[in-house]
Amino acid sequence: MKPITVGILGAGRIGQVHGNNLLRMAGIELKAVTDPYVDFASWPPAPVATGKDPGLILDDDAIEAVLVCSPTPTHADLTERAAKMGKHVFCEKPIDLDPVRIRRTLAVVEECGVNLQVGFNRRFDPTFARVRRAVTDGDVGEIHLIKITSRDPEAPPADYVRDSGGIFLDMTIHDFDMVRYLTGSEVEEVYAAGAVLIDPAIGEAGDVDTAVTTLKMTNGAIAVIENSRQAVYGYDQRVEVFGSGGSAEAGNETPNRVTVSSLDGVRSDKPLYFFLERYQASFVAELESFFASIRDDEPTPVGGMDGLMSVLVGLAASKSLAENRPVQVEGT
Amino acid sequence: MKPITVGILGAGRIGQVHGNNLLRMAGIELKAVTDPYVDFASWPPAPVATGKDPGLILDDDAIEAVLVCSPTPTHADLTERAAKMGKHVFCEKPIDLDPVRIRRTLAVVEECGVNLQVGFNRRFDPTFARVRRAVTDGDVGEIHLIKITSRDPEAPPADYVRDSGGIFLDMTIHDFDMVRYLTGSEVEEVYAAGAVLIDPAIGEAGDVDTAVTTLKMTNGAIAVIENSRQAVYGYDQRVEVFGSGGSAEAGNETPNRVTVSSLDGVRSDKPLYFFLERYQASFVAELESFFASIRDDEPTPVGGMDGLMSVLVGLAASKSLAENRPVQVEGT
Amino acid sequence: MKPITVGILGAGRIGQVHGNNLLRMAGIELKAVTDPYVDFASWPPAPVATGKDPGLILDDDAIEAVLVCSPTPTHADLTERAAKMGKHVFCEKPIDLDPVRIRRTLAVVEECGVNLQVGFNRRFDPTFARVRRAVTDGDVGEIHLIKITSRDPEAPPADYVRDSGGIFLDMTIHDFDMVRYLTGSEVEEVYAAGAVLIDPAIGEAGDVDTAVTTLKMTNGAIAVIENSRQAVYGYDQRVEVFGSGGSAEAGNETPNRVTVSSLDGVRSDKPLYFFLERYQASFVAELESFFASIRDDEPTPVGGMDGLMSVLVGLAASKSLAENRPVQVEGT
Amino acid sequence: MKPITVGILGAGRIGQVHGNNLLRMAGIELKAVTDPYVDFASWPPAPVATGKDPGLILDDDAIEAVLVCSPTPTHADLTERAAKMGKHVFCEKPIDLDPVRIRRTLAVVEECGVNLQVGFNRRFDPTFARVRRAVTDGDVGEIHLIKITSRDPEAPPADYVRDSGGIFLDMTIHDFDMVRYLTGSEVEEVYAAGAVLIDPAIGEAGDVDTAVTTLKMTNGAIAVIENSRQAVYGYDQRVEVFGSGGSAEAGNETPNRVTVSSLDGVRSDKPLYFFLERYQASFVAELESFFASIRDDEPTPVGGMDGLMSVLVGLAASKSLAENRPVQVEGT
């Protein structure tokens, strides 16, 4: 079987994660990586081509698929350019912070007839996928409540926060997508409560670091997402779906299954540190799924509308926080 | 040591639970139980006096303490009458659904110089008390988030719901008190989302059966309470307090610690069925605490203001649900 | 219903535990407690009669049932005397350390036609009873392996050890009974490995403080019991039954269900401290079961043969340890 | 850095597992795979050379390291031949079933000055390595007891059993090594109890399918290993080390962290199916460790003596079972 040829636009942390996964993947050939700000001294290994100009990838007819791993403001443009060159696109989230821009990009992608997948990797996590299966198997019955706990191990610097679009578009956006994935339903109305409790600099940057967001879903269920930018014990990523048939609940992953009992009590190790550790398998699985959709000429499992909807919910949450009132999600 | 003499006003379910606990308690003498609607054929055992008229207890100078276990609309009146007769009062929650009435009752109690304890039994549960200790010991650090899951095993009949004051004053009121207890802070603002997902008759009775309530606390923390009137797997009672130092989390109590592994997976038994099973120990402990406060002439651990505040929060939640907007709690 | 009248022979720790449970039990009247070495200043409460002479109980025709809670060397004699006076007997384990003596006592009991129950309280623990139910329900299938972990929180003083009959007759005897209870099968052959690892004084007293005992059962299954006289984190009491259908496993009971997550890891409290805390409910349940067998004129759930068999297994284990070879259990 | 060149002798299941891991490993070049009974149609991928004759690897001076993955009877011979050609050897366990033969092989390896690692992969499992760390960190204190539960999900066919050397040399050998690894101590004496409870054909093949093995260690501790050839709920791999400071206990790995609560109880998925799933990471880690020892010119972490000792313990266990008595381990 001829391998699928791939280029990566952007060689930052997530670009390298994807790149290393590609290098170990059967049936995939990583041909080039570009990044205007990277020197490529030690990575990627030969014979992968490297350069500063995305044209190295976009203009190479031999490259079939592109991973957009550059900064958010460039996502929409690069996605459109790649689509116009007939390349399938895997784009990190969010496609853009402006729904108008996202819609335009989706229109271009559709016109070009290429596949687009958005990087909501958590859908491919075995634990969350198992929760989803409990829903689709009927174990949960009709869904009544969804609860997500999502806490990072360390707050980002205020500089990062300033350009991030705010906690709802930067961090909670994954949880919005998770609610949509687990329920198969859309968000209708959002109420967000937020506070600055961890780092005053985050407040000065115009954002909050602690938030509770309530979502009313079109199927009647209520979801609640609780976020913190800093859980000192590590990455806290739990979900629960509750309904007429019962509950499916996902706990944290830990580095081992050891408990130590001593005079002081019973101890176990902290959860896996952060997303690179916790979601390692899901980063591989989302790409495998993307390439499978190319091979089988089928829709990707996380499409452009998924990219758009989570941004619409994020914007509604930001507005709710600013105006301290429930806000309808645009278009629902 | 002379025993404390006690009378119980109201011989319904909770009155009998308290009565049976009293009968086994050292240093306590249950002298009389009254209830206008009960025949007292088989309970309580001799030589406890029984009758329909509360005067049998209120007018008996030999009775030092009274348990008000009658229907809610009679709580305030009976509490006042007992206080005026110089008796210490343990009153089931809520004192009344009207804050004006509660304040009047508290004034009478204060004037009479008797002890008043409100029946927020969950504060005396060993598991929740352990979470509180994690807070006071400093393990949690500065509190950022409080999460409560509170689900009943079976929805009450619509008739009950109609006179209950609504889910927030009937069910969530315990959770409001728990948030106050765990944080040592007051509720400032409430936003409640609700839905009728379990029994349409509850909706027709003007109530919801599923709710998510967000509370902004005076110390800056955010609390979220999630309620359901029916979890088919039993009584689901969990709390988590999260802060700068970490998290303290209470899981459900189960009837045993057995897991069965078979071809089908790994199974354990459901949580304890309902509040009588789950909070058995706390019903004893709250009364012991009440009697200790009488013996030591000290304030009760759950006083009149605790009874008032939880009603004020409940009313704000009801209003928030009705008007779909965040509502300030009266007096904060 | 006329209450069952009861006397307690022996007012040490376990006698007081049983006595206090009796005092709170419906349908039971504790009439007298005797102990030659106790002054009875503060316990039991009036109107229970007290005295040094067991005759106060044995000669009182109004007493129907007797609890033998005295030191082991007096168990057989007091059981026989009570039986001859027509009283039902609840006897703490072991009946005696000498099987010949036990058999004689059982013969007397049988001749007198009274009920005899031996104090293997753990059979009445809700968690172990649940494991047994998994066996009788068929969840475990045909039994292949039984594993018991049984560790005390503190080693007894060497003086106690010297008169205890050794670890197998003092401590493991409960586990031997548990194996018989869980499997419904008898022990055929025993191999015991032991060591002195905790307190050299225990070795000087002729005993071991750490042991692993392998039992071959008549139904073909193999059981293994692992004992330590000192687990610094508290009383460790776990069992597992494994078979063709799967496994049923009982974990430790803890004082609460709280986990605290912090920089240092995830912690929970130690298991309940020792047998009085861990088996509180089972001490009540075994007596209720004894009295029910009297009321219903039915055999007790833990009879004389159960008392005999566990001693026979204990003696085989002691011999195996001494001779470092597998030893057949007498009579199998 | 020049890659280490590797050849694999034997292309059965474990040979392919190692081969696929090598293909993804940085700094390693898999040059050739040989197996006299395999056709190599689809594996390994080009440009790896393949053939029936081990000489293809042994005579290739460009190959530095060899993995011996052939059937057990050929291990010693191939290891010696490779060592004589100056190649470092990773040999699957056991080196041989005859200690005399193993000693001769170890002498050849030593004379040739090459590195030898034996395939006790479980030492490299993160969970068991964490238990070992609890020991070396002093959390467990002085070791008193070691408990291993080791159950396969499916019994092997009787044909396999016949040539396996018996359960102790085929299955328990891993557990013997685990006891040595966790304690850092040697086995002095063994007592094994066994039974045929799963498949009569295993009994007819002269083996048992259920076993409990007690080990007395040179440091005074007692270990107990409990084996079953068939746990219907999957691969059951647990260990506990208990000592003066407390206990470190490793539970099973599961495919996800989801619990489903319903009317029937609380369920989670079965443990990972078998060794390929459960020990996936450890197979990679043991090879990385082997190659690191080559690069750094240091001893391998699991050397020839480890291969010898576990066989000596296995032979003592077989003898103990046959003679129903404790047996000294040769050379201790």
Side-chain angles (χ1 to χ4, degrees), chain C residues 19-38:
Chain C
N20 283 322
N21 287 337
L22 288 184
L23 288 168
R24 270 177 240 148
M25 220 171 264
I28 301 299
E29 184 188 349
L30 177 58
K31 286 204 65 176
V33 181
T34 65
D35 194 310
Y37 309 109
V38 167

Side-chain angles (χ1 to χ4, degrees), chain C residues 61-95:
Chain C
D61 285 347
I63 290 181
E64 298 162 76
V66 158
L67 274 54
V68 178
C69 303
S70 51
T72 296
T74 67
H75 284 181
D77 182 54
L78 289 172
T79 296
E80 290 177 15
R81 287 172 62 188
K84 285 175 181 164
M85 299 302 289
K87 299 183 197 315
H88 303 292
V89 182
F90 177 95
C91 180
E92 277 304 320
K93 59 95 212 168
I95 300 174

Side-chain angles (χ1 to χ4, degrees), chain C residues 142-145 147-149 151 189-195 197-198 210-212 214 216 219-224 226-228 230-233 236 238 240 242-247 249 324-326, chain D residues 142-145 147-149 151 189-195 197-198 210-212 214 216 219-224 226-228 230-233 236 238 240 242-247 249 324-326:
Chain C
E142 191 191 326
I143 298 177
H144 294 176
L145 289 162
K147 282 178 20 179
I148 296 186
T149 297
R151 302 172 187 156
E189 192 183 288
V190 183
Y191 172 76
L197 299 172
I198 294 160
T210 303
V212 171
T214 304
K216 294 183 187 162
N219 68 354
I222 305 173
V224 62
E226 168 257 296
N227 294 116
S228 169
Q230 183 171 300
V232 294
Y233 52 83
D236 195 342
R238 292 173 283 161
E240 182 180 3
F242 168 81
S244 58
S247 152
E249 196 179 6
N324 194 29
R325 63 174 185 88
Chain D
E142 193 191 325
I143 298 177
H144 293 177
L145 289 161
K147 283 176 22 178
I148 296 186
T149 296
R151 301 172 188 156
E189 192 183 288
V190 183
Y191 171 76
L197 299 172
I198 294 160
T210 303
V212 171
T214 304
K216 294 183 188 162
N219 68 354
I222 306 173
V224 60
E226 168 257 296
N227 294 116
S228 169
Q230 184 170 303
V232 294
Y233 52 84
D236 196 342
R238 293 173 282 161
E240 181 180 3
F242 168 81
S244 58
S247 152
E249 196 178 6
N324 194 28
R325 63 172 187 90

Side-chain angles (χ1 to χ4, degrees), chain B residues 72-73 97 158-166 170 205:
Chain B
T72 297
L97 297 180
D159 275 358
Y160 171 90
V161 165
R162 199 165 287 115
D163 302 329
S164 68
D170 179 58

Side-chain angles (χ1 to χ4, degrees), chain B residues 106-148:
Chain B
L106 300 192
V108 169
V109 167
E110 184 155 14
E111 210 173 292
C112 298
V114 297
N115 275 3
L116 170 64
Q117 182 166 331
V118 180
F120 285 123
N121 60 292
R122 294 185 195 173
R123 291 187 179 212
F124 300 88
D125 174 74
T127 281
F128 296 147
R130 180 67 186 83
V131 173
R132 174 63 183 156
R133 189 149 61 79
V135 171
T136 55
D137 283 359
D139 288 339
V140 170
E142 192 190 324
I143 299 176
H144 294 176
L145 289 162
I146 305 98
K147 283 176 22 177
I148 296 187

Side-chain angles (χ1 to χ4, degrees), chain C residues 218-266:
Chain C
T218 52
N219 68 354
I222 305 173
V224 62
I225 299 163
E226 168 257 296
N227 294 116
S228 169
R229 283 287 197 181
Q230 183 171 300
V232 294
Y233 52 83
Y235 202 36
D236 195 342
Q237 297 280 297
R238 292 173 283 161
V239 312
E240 182 180 3
V241 184
F242 168 81
S244 58
S247 152
E249 196 179 6
N252 281 316
E253 302 281 338
T254 52
N256 58 63
R257 300 288 179 123
V258 177
T259 52
V260 175
S261 300
S262 69
L263 260 178
D264 300 330
V266 178

Side-chain angles (χ1 to χ4, degrees), chain A residues 139-160:
Chain A
D139 289 339
V140 170
E142 193 191 322
I143 298 177
H144 294 176
L145 289 161
I146 306 99
K147 284 179 17 180
I148 296 185
T149 296
S150 178
R151 303 171 186 155
D152 285 351
E154 292 191 87
D159 275 0
Y160 171 90

Side-chain angles (χ1 to χ4, degrees), chain A residues 147 149 151 226 238 249, chain B residues 147 149 226 238 240 249:
Chain A
K147 284 179 17 180
T149 296
R151 303 171 186 155
E226 168 258 296
R238 292 173 282 161
E249 196 178 7
Chain B
K147 283 176 22 177
T149 296
E226 168 258 296
R238 292 173 283 162
E240 183 181 2
E249 195 178 7

